Amino acid sequence: MEIAIPQKWHWFSEARFGLFIHWGPYAQHGRGEQVLMREMLDQREYAAAACAWNPRKFDAREWARFAKASGFRYAVLTTRHHDGFCLWDTKTTNYSSVAQSAGRDLVREFVEAFRAEGLRIGLYYSWNDFRLPALFEGPEKNPSGWAAVRDYVHAQVCELLTHYGRIDQFWFDGTWPRNRVEWDSAGLVKKMRALQPDILINNRLGEAPGSKAVDYMNASETGVHETALGDFGTPEHHIAASPGRLWESCQTSTWRLWGYCEGERWRPADLLLDMLTDAASQGGNLLLNVGPNADGEMPAPFVERMAAIGRWLERNGEAIYGAQPAGNLFESVTWGRASRRGNTVYLIVRFWPPDGKLRLAGLETIPAKALLMAESVSLISTKDATGMTLTGLPASAPDELFPVIQLEFESSPRCLPNYVPGLWNGEPERFLPWAKSCCGNV
Ligand code: FHN
């Protein structure tokens, strides 16, 4: 079921596919974005290396062209991660890529290059700054120190929304160990909306005082969260629809960490694409991450994977961009996933039937047209008592990744009564006749 989305945010549900870029001086260490805290590195030594960081090979226009060719429709860059180093021309600190060796406003280069390629702009910003003791002391133990941290964060967010033109999406992260009252999240959101009325703000705005911190690795929004301050849900490392609102699953293209890891293993292209088709088939977005190296280069394994996915999206993008869930029409499918746009349904086939037949169990409405998109081959639909079968498929899969079959219906397609409640809902008795058709006893 499509959710009601304000016109100003239609770009987000149309986009479906964003590039998450975790990049900063931590890339020099080659062990992820959190190496400072995870390995409790010497703060002064880390800061000295961060100030010396100079990504000489960074070319934002090259990144933007790569992102566009890969089929991304928006991109989110870490402006400051938990290590506190700022990638923009901030007046709040000299711990920045402008004031230190790089001497560059990396956020400005990113924003201008990606906007020039027609991609929407997202900025990631961590509430955390692991250099600041008051973050760990909090307002009770250090009221003045905490007020300075809170004001520092508010000032930085307002800088980012003032000096870089239209920002389409703001991606907060890292509220722990403080809560939404201590951060004055509501006050900051009010300032943000005054600066950028159309901006989309995520749900990582801190929990209500006393509530358990949301574990984004596993949480999926079930009710009205205190994070309702935000505009979209952010399931992390998993795909789970946020009921009744926009949502975006953020996922790594490697094993688990988000920043550059030297020698890390990469997830295969079909797994990365399956994440995208899974999210789109549930009516959500995928924010797929890459951690560029310290010099500012996209890792070759990611470039290679995204070339294949970009080619697939060129041929089959209408099954993803702006796609909505196919609902229970194909909940019983075993061969892949399905998405929908109006009366057109897209079958995204993960494994290809060797006999040239594709079973559409539970479908009642015959499609007016069935087309194998990669080769524009028309298929034949044959109806029976429990569904439909498509025949005329080529013996081998016509696509290096997932072939897509487009079904066009003259009206909204229906499924058979037994399938209306969905596979695992409704009265179990509805399966009795089918169960009795077997031996009927143990
Ligand atoms: O701690 C961060 C982590 O480094 C990374 O930025 C992810 C991206 O969603 N967010 C936090 C972990 O949930």
Side-chain angles (χ1 to χ4, degrees):
M1 179 185 68
E2 289 194 42
I3 51 178
I5 301 167
Q7 178 61 37
K8 63 186 178 180
W9 294 339
H10 278 188
W11 72 265
F12 186 74
S13 51
E14 184 63 31
R16 287 284 175 256
F17 195 27
L19 175 61
F20 207 177
I21 305 171
H22 273 72
W23 193 47
Y26 39 79
Q28 298 175 106
H29 300 268
R31 300 192 302 280
E33 74 289 350
Q34 294 187 15
V35 64
L36 170 62
M37 182 178 190
R38 283 179 180 274
E39 298 185 12
M40 299 294 273
L41 299 180
D42 179 287
Q43 290 263 19
R44 293 183 189 283
E45 287 176 8
Y46 183 93
C51 291
W53 178 51
N54 187 2
R56 290 182 180 80
K57 294 181 181 174
F58 171 55
D59 180 344
R61 294 159 304 173
E62 194 176 292
W63 282 16
R65 287 191 294 270
F66 157 72
K68 184 176 182 180
S70 302
F72 293 108
R73 292 290 173 86
Y74 63 103
V76 179
L77 173 70
T78 51
T79 62
R80 176 172 76 65
H81 207 265
H82 312 334
D83 63 349
F85 191 83
C86 303
L87 303 192
W88 77 97
D89 187 12
T90 177
K91 301 299 179 244
T92 62
T93 174
N94 67 357
Y95 198 47
S96 78
S97 60
V98 172
Q100 299 303 324
S101 301
R104 293 166 72 174
D105 186 332
L106 302 173
V107 167
R108 182 172 302 284
E109 292 180 47
F110 160 78
V111 168
E112 290 176 355
F114 278 69
R115 196 178 281 144
E117 287 297 330
L119 277 80
R120 294 279 181 152
I121 301 298
L123 299 180
Y124 166 108
Y125 179 84
S126 174
W127 299 86
N128 277 342
D129 183 333
F130 288 153
R131 302 170 305 145
L132 308 178
L135 171 76
F136 302 100
E137 293 168 315
E140 287 174 12
K141 292 179 183 165
N142 183 352
S144 60
W146 170 250
V149 169
R150 184 200 58 224
D151 295 349
Y152 168 76
V153 164
H154 282 226
Q156 290 196 334
V157 171
C158 290
E159 282 183 330
L160 287 166
L161 297 188
T162 303
H163 302 303
Y164 297 93
R166 176 189 170 116
I167 303 301
D168 299 289
Q169 181 187 23
F170 206 86
W171 222 95
F172 279 112
D173 200 14
T175 55
W176 174 89
R178 311 271 65 98
N179 63 48
R180 58 184 289 202
V181 170
E182 291 168 328
W183 285 118
D184 184 18
S185 303
L188 180 52
V189 165
K190 193 173 175 186
K191 294 173 192 171
M192 294 169 74
R193 297 209 191 280
L195 289 167
Q196 299 263 357
D198 293 345
I199 198 164
L200 261 171
I201 302 170
N202 78 350
N203 65 343
R204 300 191 180 189
L205 297 159
E207 306 316 319
S211 72
K212 183 178 175 305
V214 173
D215 168 8
Y216 290 100
M217 304 279 266
N218 302 300
S220 61
E221 291 186 327
T222 49
V224 178
H225 251 258
E226 62 281 353
T227 51
L229 259 183
D231 306 318
F232 64 95
T234 56
E236 179 169 319
H237 291 312
H238 70 292
I239 293 166
S242 299
R245 74 170 179 170
L246 296 168
W247 58 277
E248 171 196 72
S249 167
C250 54
Q251 301 260 13
T252 56
S253 44
T254 53
W255 169 56
R256 184 166 61 89
L257 294 174
W258 304 77
Y260 181 70
C261 293
E262 185 64 41
E264 172 56 296
R265 299 166 190 273
W266 292 80
R267 290 170 162 167
D270 59 355
L271 176 59
L272 300 179
L273 180 58
D274 186 56
M275 292 178 189
L276 176 59
T277 62
D278 189 0
S281 66
Q282 295 189 55
N285 288 24
L286 174 69
L287 187 65
L288 182 62
N289 182 77
V290 65
N293 67 21
D295 287 337
E297 296 169 307
M298 289 287 171
F302 186 69
V303 172
E304 177 193 331
R305 283 150 176 78
M306 293 321 301
I309 291 174
R311 286 194 297 272
W312 186 90
L313 283 165
E314 269 177 15
R315 291 192 300 277
N316 305 292
E318 64 182 273
I320 300 295
Y321 300 125
Q324 296 301 324
N328 51 22
L329 269 182
F330 294 96
E331 194 177 290
S332 58
V333 301
T334 51
W335 33 259
R337 304 188 190 283
S339 66
R340 177 174 179 173
R341 293 165 65 108
N343 291 334
T344 300
V345 173
Y346 301 92
L347 311 181
I348 303 166
V349 185
R350 285 182 51 82
F351 50 91
W352 197 250
D355 60 359
K357 297 175 184 172
L358 195 71
R359 183 69 181 142
L360 306 182
L363 182 64
E364 181 175 49
T365 314
I366 285 202
K369 187 176 155 190
L371 184 72
L372 176 58
M373 288 177 66
E375 301 187 327
S376 298
V377 168
S378 293
L379 305 173
I380 301 153
S381 313
T382 309
K383 187 174 172 132
D384 59 46
T386 58
M388 208 160 296
T389 302
L390 291 179
T391 53
L393 283 68
S396 56
D399 197 308
E400 59 180 316
L401 288 168
F402 306 149
V404 176
I405 293 170
Q406 181 188 67
L407 301 180
E408 285 190 16
F409 295 89
E410 286 173 353
S411 60
S412 184
R414 293 182 313 281
C415 50
L416 292 167
N418 256 3
Y419 290 81
V420 169
L423 203 55
W424 306 113
N425 307 308
E427 292 311 313
E429 292 74 23
R430 59 201 172 98
F431 289 105
L432 263 183
W434 168 73
K436 285 178 179 171
S437 67
C438 182
C439 52
N441 51 43
V442 297

